[in-house]
Amino acid sequence: MKESEKIERIKSALMKFSEKSSKVQGAKIVGRIAKVTGLNEVDTRQILKALDGNEISCKNWGFNNEPLGTVTINIKAEIPTELIRWKTALEKHTRLELEEIESLTGLWTAVSEISDSEQLRLIDGLVNLKAEQEQWFGETKFNVSARYLLGSSKVLDNLPKQNLIKFGIQVDQFKSPPSYLIMTGPANPKAVILVENPQSFERAVEAGIPDITWITTFGYGLSKMNEDHGNQLSNIFNSRMDNGIILLAREGSPVAISSLLSNPNIHFWGDFDPEGFKIYESLKKIIPQLELSALYQPMLDKLEREGHSFTSLVGKQGQVATTNFNNLISELLSGDETTVDVGLDQESVTLRDIFDFAGRPLTEVVKYSMS
């Protein structure tokens, strides 16, 4: 880390400390700064000594640059211009009491990108929603938001909940939008497979295996603006389970999702990449019997010769190589390598592969291939 970056980190920490008091005890400040910044105490002491006389003031220093006695912090955090702009808008509003202004001030980062006129209209909407909210209890947050807040269904969810509650809007009285899962297969299958991506789900439909039920989510409808289907699948189960989930049938007859998730042979099949495995681990916390599908085996077979790194070209620029897996995942990697640093999308699995591997856990296939 560059010296200039270390200095800025320490200055930032000092400004944070000065919000409560400009005076701190030298015996404690080094450890506190090191903990907040991630720097070691030697560097912290040296930089603090260099800042003495300007950013901080300390009369006595130890032989190892340890500040002794009281340290006065002279750095004052500047008030962000966007915070000033938002507070001005709140203070202009004739229907807000001082306490209400204080409760809404914390929204400033969420509203910093909208214009002055939009901020005023947003305040109007919040005031009106507070006054009329009881008639909308039980309505979805998306609908309430679009009605009152800039014509957007997303605003209510994107504003800090604690500030809205303090202001007097009972956010929890509005429902979350329904979650849709789509399935294909019989109501009482021999195996259930949760699929990360809908394109692979469609390939599974094409396979037409009679004793397997497949489940996926299609996300945000026709616009397809959000294609993070796997995390949507995980979030739906983590937040709702059988409450508020609508199961639609691609083929077959919809049943209670709880009955499908209680199947002893339930597997997850997603992309071979860190994000896919994180989805699996998240789902396994609420579905203890969940295993990786044997459909990962043909992906493992292709990984070395067909795999890709995590770049924007393959739409995975946000993913990084990771070793944070404490289960079968690490054991699947070749040799002594335990880092997931090469990916392969599940769409690479062929129709023939689905016929050959679907319905079994990966552990069974690995044991078979190693025997």
Side-chain angles (χ1 to χ4, degrees):
M1 185 188 302
K2 294 180 179 179
E3 190 71 11
S4 59
E5 185 178 346
K6 294 178 182 179
I7 293 171
E8 289 306 314
R9 283 193 180 191
I10 288 179
K11 285 184 178 180
S12 177
L14 288 169
M15 282 191 287
K16 189 69 176 176
F17 295 160
S18 69
E19 290 177 359
K20 293 185 177 180
S21 174
S22 63
K23 297 183 183 299
V24 295
Q25 290 300 310
K28 298 179 179 180
I29 193 172
V30 173
R32 289 174 66 192
I33 291 176
K35 183 177 180 180
V36 169
T37 62
L39 301 175
N40 61 58
E41 293 195 4
V42 174
D43 285 346
T44 300
R45 286 194 293 267
Q46 289 177 345
I47 293 172
L48 283 175
K49 187 66 171 68
L51 296 177
D52 185 34
N54 293 301
E55 286 83 358
I56 65 171
S57 300
C58 182
K59 291 182 178 180
N60 300 303
W61 294 83
F63 72 93
N64 64 345
N65 293 325
E66 187 84 27
L68 305 175
T70 301
V71 175
T72 301
I73 302 172
N74 302 318
I75 304 174
K76 298 298 181 183
E78 294 183 8
I79 300 176
T81 56
E82 290 302 331
L83 172 55
I84 296 173
R85 187 165 71 95
W86 175 241
K87 287 197 72 171
T88 300
L90 291 171
E91 290 165 359
K92 279 183 180 179
H93 203 281
T94 58
R95 296 165 61 191
L96 288 177
E97 301 292 337
L98 179 60
E99 185 177 326
E100 293 175 313
I101 291 174
E102 291 176 354
S103 66
L104 293 178
T105 298
L107 304 182
W108 73 271
T109 53
V111 303
S112 62
E113 295 181 1
I114 63 177
S115 67
D116 292 355
S117 62
E118 284 180 304
Q119 286 190 355
L120 290 172
R121 288 195 292 115
L122 175 62
I123 296 168
D124 276 335
L126 290 169
V127 170
N128 292 334
L129 174 56
K130 178 181 177 179
E132 302 170 8
Q133 61 183 315
E134 291 187 11
Q135 64 182 293
W136 302 107
F137 287 169
E139 181 60 84
T140 66
K141 283 188 278 188
F142 273 21
N143 289 344
V144 172
S145 181
R147 183 180 183 88
Y148 285 92
L149 308 179
L150 303 178
S152 169
S153 62
K154 312 290 195 309
V155 172
L156 192 57
D157 264 336
N158 290 336
L159 293 176
K161 181 178 177 180
Q162 65 273 19
N163 294 100
L164 296 177
I165 292 174
K166 188 176 180 182
F167 176 62
I169 295 176
Q170 300 179 50
V171 182
D172 291 334
Q173 294 292 333
F174 309 123
K175 296 189 303 184
S176 294
S179 296
Y180 294 97
L181 295 176
I182 188 165
M183 60 152 282
T184 184
N188 297 297
K190 291 182 179 178
V192 174
I193 302 179
L194 306 179
V195 184
E196 179 180 354
N197 297 313
Q199 293 82 7
S200 295
F201 173 85
E202 281 301 306
R203 180 60 61 87
V205 172
E206 186 181 349
I209 303 174
D211 54 0
I212 295 178
T213 289
W214 308 78
I215 300 175
T216 193
T217 176
F218 273 79
Y220 288 87
L222 294 176
S223 67
K224 296 185 179 178
M225 290 299 291
N226 190 317
E227 296 184 353
D228 195 10
H229 305 288
N231 278 314
Q232 291 173 39
L233 185 70
S234 174
N235 291 339
I236 287 172
F237 289 141
N238 271 295
S239 63
R240 310 229 181 149
M241 285 301 287
D242 209 20
N243 181 27
I245 296 176
I246 299 174
L247 192 62
L248 306 175
R250 172 67 169 78
E251 291 180 1
S253 301
V255 295
I257 189 67
S258 56
S259 68
L260 293 174
L261 298 186
S262 63
N263 192 299
N265 299 310
I266 183 167
H267 311 144
F268 174 76
W269 174 37
D271 291 337
F272 192 104
D273 58 29
E275 195 61 39
F277 292 134
K278 287 176 185 176
I279 293 166
Y280 163 69
E281 292 188 324
S282 175
L283 288 168
K284 190 169 177 62
K285 290 177 182 178
I286 56 172
I287 310 172
Q289 77 277 24
L290 184 68
E291 296 188 66
L292 291 173
S293 169
L295 288 162
Y296 274 101
Q297 184 59 53
M299 298 170 71
L300 278 165
D301 295 339
K302 300 173 184 178
L303 188 64
E304 185 174 349
R305 67 178 185 274
E306 297 182 18
H308 51 252
S309 55
F310 306 129
T311 64
S312 58
L313 180 64
V314 298
K316 299 184 181 181
Q317 62 272 26
Q319 296 195 38
V320 294
T322 182
T323 58
N324 296 325
F325 300 111
N326 301 315
N327 47 40
L328 174 67
I329 297 166
S330 293
E331 299 173 16
L332 298 176
L333 305 175
S334 59
D336 297 326
E337 180 60 64
T338 59
T339 301
V340 179
D341 56 5
V342 179
L344 192 76
D345 291 347
Q346 66 179 135
E347 288 86 351
S348 64
V349 172
T350 66
L351 199 60
R352 182 72 260 171
D353 292 332
I354 293 176
F355 278 115
D356 291 343
F357 292 96
R360 292 180 289 166
L362 182 56
T363 48
E364 179 182 313
V365 178
V366 171
K367 288 176 184 177
Y368 176 78
S369 62
M370 293 174 64
S371 60

